[in-house]
Amino acid sequence: MRRGGIWALTGKVTFVLATLVWNALITRLLTEPEVGAFYLIFSIVLVGELIVLGGMNQAAMRLIAARKATEDTLAPLIRGSVLLLGSFGLAFGVGYTLWIGPWLGEQVFHSPLIGELAGLTALWFGLRAVQTFVAFLLRGFHQVGLTAFFDGATTALLITLVLLLLYLQSVPVEVREVLLLVSGALVCTILLSFAILRRQGGGTPGTPGVRISEPLRIGLPLAALALTSVGASEAHVWIAGIFVAHADIAIYGVASRLGKLIQMPQLILAGVIPSSIAELSALKKKRQIQEVLQVAATLSVIPTLIGAIVIGLAARSILGFVFGESYADGWFVLLSLVGGHLFSSAMGFPGVLLAMTDHQNLLFKTGVISSVTGIAVSLALVQAMGIDGVALGAAGGRVFQNVLMWHYCRTRVGIDTRASIASLRKSVRFLGLRAED
């Protein structure tokens, strides 16, 4: 975990900082309404990616990690997952390009640009799905260091470099060109990651057969959960897209991106521990699972709390400096979302535990309940408070979901995932600051 955490830290810091930079460049290269349309498209891409993945990324990672522990064959599982991924991607990509995208642009968001860019949007979420899938395969092989750079960091660096050159040379940029740039960066990253993956799975390609029943059984409930969770989060953006001006959506979008900075410790550890939890679960080592989760939660919440305090003291100034003064009005949105992220970090990783111990149905249940609650709050407040009310709904849904997941971890799995003072000593040993085990 320590070695993987160092690699994950490097990759995630690179990803978050590069993403923040290219988002800041976007706000300077595009007008506020164009930025708002871009964030709506990006929100659609996040959901489209999950539909294409169909949970195959998490299912493949979990099965690979477990089979490695028991020395079972891997190739049929990988082939089956790839076959399912390609089928989902082709079906949904064509459907979005021909029907769903134009309908969303004309009837829902009243933005012709979203309909015009439906094909590029489908290309974007399809490529993101492939990138995520390959990264999860590498994670299943315990190649955390490689995963850290091929799960977004390399793509973000390429996008940042090109946008920075365009900004310095004062080249006019449109949303269509930004989408083409993002797709090109994804293609480069995918080609590199495929070359590395072939070396990792080099010992298994000769094994015959294709297995799809296990990936489907595990993946579909996880896909439903992910769609419920991410879809609920992005639904708040869509609510804003329906009820407020696109310039306000731009403010909500940049505040949301900045707020995710304090999620970085949690995201780093979330990239390290799932394969370990799956392997320990297969070996029925419950005590070790709880130790891993509590140490991870404690390591996550301390820097998250520090980041939340800093943002809380200077939210308006930070937004104005990073994205421009016109975006400083998103300070309340930023504080609301940061509060939700901080609470999530304090509760640890209950979702990882449930997903890696065959409790996908409970995850889906908590996702549905919390999503409905959060969306209801946003709909109730958006007319009176605008994007501020949407942010309160998003934060409230996140808090409620984490409480429900933690409750099921305690009652169904018998493990407490929360950060605690008692786990500080183990966290110090984890960091290597004490010699004894």
Side-chain angles (χ1 to χ4, degrees):
M1 280 185 61
R2 188 185 302 120
R3 182 174 63 252
I6 292 171
W7 277 109
L9 173 64
T10 305
K12 193 59 69 175
V13 168
T14 302
F15 170 73
V16 170
L17 293 181
T19 300
L20 186 64
V21 171
W22 76 256
N23 274 266
L25 290 169
I26 285 292
T27 61
R28 288 163 171 80
L29 290 167
L30 303 175
T31 65
E32 285 188 23
E34 288 176 328
V35 173
F38 174 79
Y39 280 127
L40 280 171
I41 291 173
F42 184 69
S43 176
I44 294 168
V45 165
L46 293 178
V47 176
E49 176 191 1
L50 293 176
I51 294 174
V52 172
L53 283 170
M56 294 305 107
N57 55 324
Q58 296 189 65
M61 180 196 69
R62 174 179 162 182
L63 290 168
I64 288 171
R67 294 300 186 271
K68 281 176 66 67
T70 57
E71 300 184 358
D72 199 353
T73 184
L74 304 176
L77 292 171
I78 296 175
R79 292 195 196 102
S81 300
V82 170
L83 178 62
L84 291 168
L85 178 70
S87 301
F88 294 161
L90 181 61
F92 186 67
V94 171
Y96 182 86
T97 301
L98 296 179
W99 301 292
I100 301 174
W103 175 76
L104 286 175
E106 294 177 11
Q107 303 297 325
V108 180
F109 300 126
H110 310 292
S111 172
L113 185 60
I114 292 176
E116 293 169 7
L117 299 178
L120 286 176
T121 303
L123 177 64
W124 186 359
F125 63 62
L127 290 172
R128 273 184 61 103
V130 174
Q131 175 187 259
T132 301
F133 180 76
V134 176
F136 269 73
L137 289 182
L138 290 170
R139 190 178 296 168
F141 284 108
H142 293 287
Q143 297 297 322
V144 178
L146 296 172
T147 303
F149 286 94
F150 291 111
D151 194 14
T154 303
T155 303
L157 283 172
L158 290 172
I159 296 170
T160 301
L161 178 61
V162 176
L163 285 177
L164 182 59
L165 291 173
L166 294 174
Y167 174 72
L168 293 176
Q169 295 179 10
S170 301
V171 177
V173 176
E174 297 180 354
V175 178
R176 180 186 302 274
E177 294 164 338
V178 174
L179 266 61
L180 285 169
L181 168 61
V182 172
S183 298
L186 282 166
V187 169
C188 294
T189 304
I190 290 168
L191 291 175
L192 287 171
S193 58
F194 264 129
I196 294 172
L197 182 63
R198 284 178 62 86
R199 291 192 306 174
Q200 295 301 317
T204 61
T207 307
V210 174
R211 293 165 63 180
I212 64 173
S213 59
E214 284 183 282
L216 273 177
R217 180 183 64 82
I218 296 174
L220 289 182
L222 290 174
L225 165 71
L227 279 169
T228 303
S229 177
V230 175
S233 175
E234 299 310 312
H236 300 286
V237 180
W238 300 346
I239 290 170
I242 295 170
F243 290 101
V244 305
H246 280 193
D248 288 335
I249 301 170
I251 294 174
Y252 184 92
V254 299
S256 174
R257 296 298 174 273
L258 186 58
K260 289 180 179 179
L261 267 179
I262 71 161
Q263 274 190 294
M264 189 164 61
Q266 191 175 24
L267 293 174
I268 289 168
L269 289 164
V272 177
I273 64 173
S275 57
S276 297
I277 299 301
E279 188 169 337
L280 290 170
S281 177
L283 298 173
K284 302 187 183 304
K285 295 186 176 182
K286 187 173 180 179
R287 182 179 62 83
Q288 287 90 334
I289 292 175
Q290 175 146 325
E291 287 185 358
V292 167
L293 288 168
Q294 289 184 336
V295 166
T298 304
L299 290 172
S300 169
V301 75
I302 294 173
T304 302
L305 177 60
I306 295 172
I309 292 172
V310 171
I311 291 176
L313 293 174
R316 179 180 286 274
S317 300
I318 294 172
L319 279 169
F321 174 76
V322 176
F323 301 106
E325 287 301 321
S326 60
Y327 292 92
D329 290 339
W331 65 271
F332 186 84
V333 173
L334 178 58
L335 291 180
S336 300
L337 297 177
V338 163
H341 295 323
L342 178 59
F343 184 88
S344 174
S345 181
M347 299 303 289
F349 300 88
V352 172
L353 176 61
L354 293 175
M356 294 297 109
T357 54
D358 210 19
H359 289 84
Q360 300 93 325
N361 292 333
L362 288 178
L363 274 174
F364 179 69
K365 179 179 178 180
T366 61
V368 170
I369 295 172
S370 59
S371 298
V372 171
T373 303
I375 291 171
V377 173
S378 288
L379 287 171
L381 298 179
V382 65
Q383 297 282 16
M385 300 178 64
I387 56 174
D388 293 343
V390 173
L392 288 175
R398 173 177 288 272
V399 168
F400 191 33
Q401 182 179 23
N402 276 272
V403 170
L404 287 175
M405 289 191 299
W406 170 80
H407 168 72
Y408 284 123
C409 286
R410 287 293 306 273
T411 57
R412 301 295 180 88
V413 188
I415 291 178
D416 190 349
T417 62
R418 294 176 300 174
S420 66
I421 299 298
S423 59
L424 273 175
R425 184 167 174 268
K426 294 177 182 177
S427 302
V428 171
R429 288 208 306 272
F430 170 84
L431 292 171
L433 300 180
R434 290 173 64 94
E436 67 268 21
D437 291 328

